[in-house]
Amino acid sequence: MESKKLMLVVMILGAAAANVFVSAADPDPLRDFEGSGALSDFVLRDVFKNGVVSNGPGGVRAAINTTLFPGITSQGITYVHFNMVPCGVNLPHTHPRASELLTMISGGPLQVGFVDTAGVPRINLLNPGDITIFPRGTMHFEINVGTKPAFYISALNSQNPGTLTSGGALLMIPDRSAATALNVGLDVIRKLKANMLPYTPRLELAPPAVCVPGRDITTKI
């Protein structure tokens, strides 16, 4: 009898764990697709013209959403295209609701990486044809260290992954907390806040003192 009770407890705990795992991602669709099903729902023409386009000094970022591309509704996926100039930077950020699979198409090399929950940096260089993964919720970045524009595509396993720019978020908390996190004085934090980049998803350009195209092509920090 005791063994049967123990087995029941194990089964209940296993079912609960499975439920937690399943609910961690977008829910499964209940139909093939949402909406009217018009043919135009399933194709988005020229994402760099008709997508969610942001132009920054570091290049062009073109994303999709369910309004512009109804076919992705409830499918648990979204896509972002990047055309990044040499020394362009996609600032360190996280996606709280998605993992990201990045495919390098042309140009570069592209220096990429993330920091895991043990505080270990995972830095790599990507060339055309290479693929990398940024696990869900980890802080990651991309910078074009080559002399040619870098074209790459990211797929994320949520239709609304969210993007939280790490530096911008840090400088939006009270000065004392930010100063303690960085182990600097309040005057440093206030100066950083006065010169912080806009809190937007656009691509930035590293200044010449920070990046020279084709130089320091390395995985070192």
Side-chain angles (χ1 to χ4, degrees):
M1 180 64 69
E2 291 299 324
S3 62
K4 290 183 178 180
K5 289 182 179 179
L6 179 60
M7 181 64 70
L8 180 60
V9 170
V10 171
M11 291 173 64
I12 292 172
L13 290 175
N19 184 61
V20 169
F21 177 78
V22 169
S23 64
D26 288 3
D28 290 334
L30 299 177
R31 294 181 290 273
D32 291 342
F33 53 84
E34 302 291 339
S36 66
L39 287 179
S40 59
D41 289 352
F42 306 110
V43 176
L44 177 66
R45 306 287 183 187
D46 193 352
V47 69
F48 282 103
K49 179 180 178 181
N50 299 311
V52 182
V53 180
S54 60
N55 289 277
V60 183
R61 176 185 184 274
I64 60 177
N65 61 30
T66 55
T67 300
L68 298 174
F69 193 11
I72 67 168
T73 303
S74 82
Q75 299 303 313
I77 191 170
T78 194
Y79 233 49
V80 188
H81 290 227
F82 299 87
N83 199 343
M84 181 184 284
V85 303
C87 286
V89 183
N90 194 11
L91 297 177
H93 61 282
T94 65
H95 301 297
R97 294 182 291 274
S99 301
E100 178 178 347
L101 193 67
L102 186 156
T103 302
M104 187 70 178
I105 305 299
S106 64
L110 193 70
Q111 188 191 60
V112 304
F114 67 91
V115 180
D116 66 24
T117 55
V120 178
R122 312 286 181 170
I123 313 300
N124 281 287
L125 291 170
L126 301 185
N127 290 292
D130 293 344
I131 298 173
T132 193
I133 181 77
F134 301 134
R136 177 180 173 179
T138 57
M139 185 182 72
H140 57 280
F141 74 96
E142 302 102 57
I143 178 170
N144 182 5
V145 294
T147 58
K148 300 178 180 179
F151 176 49
Y152 60 99
I153 299 173
S154 287
L156 301 102
N157 62 339
S158 170
Q159 72 177 43
N160 185 24
T163 299
L164 186 64
T165 304
S166 304
L170 180 62
L171 293 178
M172 287 185 177
I173 64 176
D175 293 356
R176 289 175 296 182
S177 295
T180 303
L182 296 176
N183 195 27
V184 297
L186 290 173
D187 57 330
V188 175
I189 292 298
R190 289 165 183 159
K191 184 177 180 180
L192 287 172
K193 286 188 174 184
N195 294 283
M196 67 182 292
L197 294 169
Y199 194 75
T200 67
R202 75 178 192 177
L203 301 179
E204 300 294 342
L205 183 64
V210 174
C211 176
V212 176
R215 184 185 298 177
D216 300 324
I217 300 178
T218 176
T219 58
K220 293 182 179 180
I221 301 173

